[in-house]
């Protein structure tokens, strides 16, 4: 269910990985600085949406314990919440890449959009790993065998490269603006 949901958005994922931009001209009159700080908070808020679905108590209720059937509604909730976050992060990054900004700000905005790359790839990788582990767990529970340890690790984090690119773009912008004064 989870991998099918992720796979459904493969075209969007491939477009995201190309980091394409469709910025219109001319840029807005609003200074881009008014938005930069809140953009990173928005990405963080999107990734924290998964905290609700991956609480240990929710996951074990979803998969069922010895002698119990999985709770299809909760399994669906976990899968749809994960896919929804995956898609929301790609849309967030694309919206930033499409945002009209002055030319000197383009590298900063592109670097901000890259912040979502790590979490997007991490969710994608997790989805394919999760299905294998969850299926093994459910099969063992149904067969009455000792439950294999169910290890769920989904840590969404900005990659070091994205952080470095953002800091570098911000420094370059600051230098170029200082040189013009």
């Amino acid at each position: 269910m989870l991998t099918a949901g992720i796979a459904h958005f493969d075209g969007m994922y491939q477009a995201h990985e190309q980091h394409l931009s469709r910025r219109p001209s001319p840029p807005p009159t609003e200074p881009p600085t008014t938005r930069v700080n809140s953009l990173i908070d928005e990405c963080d808020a999107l990734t924290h949406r998964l905290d609700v679905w991956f609480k240990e108590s929710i996951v074990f209720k979803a998969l069922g314990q010895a002698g119990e059937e999985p709770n299809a509604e909760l399994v669906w909730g976990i899968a749809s919440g994960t896919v929804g976050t995956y898609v929301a992060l790609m849309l967030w990054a694309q919206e930033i890449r499409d945002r009209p900004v002055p030319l000197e700000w383009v590298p900063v905005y592109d670097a901000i959009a890259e912040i979502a790359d790590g979490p997007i790839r991490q969710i994608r990788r997790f989805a394919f790993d999760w299905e294998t582990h969850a299926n093994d767990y459910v099969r063992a529970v149904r067969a009455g065998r000792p439950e294999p340890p169910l290890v769920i690790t989904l840590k969404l984090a900005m990659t070091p490269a994205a952080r470095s690119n953002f800091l570098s773009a911000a420094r370059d912008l600051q230098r170029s603006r200082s040189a013009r004064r």
Side-chain angles (χ1 to χ4, degrees), residues 122-133:
Q122 291 153 6
I123 290 171
R124 187 175 176 81
R125 192 171 31 254
F126 170 82
F128 294 103
D129 291 345
W130 161 262
E131 190 137 326
T132 300
H133 295 315

Side-chain angles (χ1 to χ4, degrees), residues 63-70 137-147:
L63 298 178
Q65 306 233 343
E68 296 177 3
E69 284 295 311
Y137 178 85
V138 169
R139 275 194 291 276
V141 168
R142 283 185 176 161
R145 294 192 310 265
E147 298 166 12

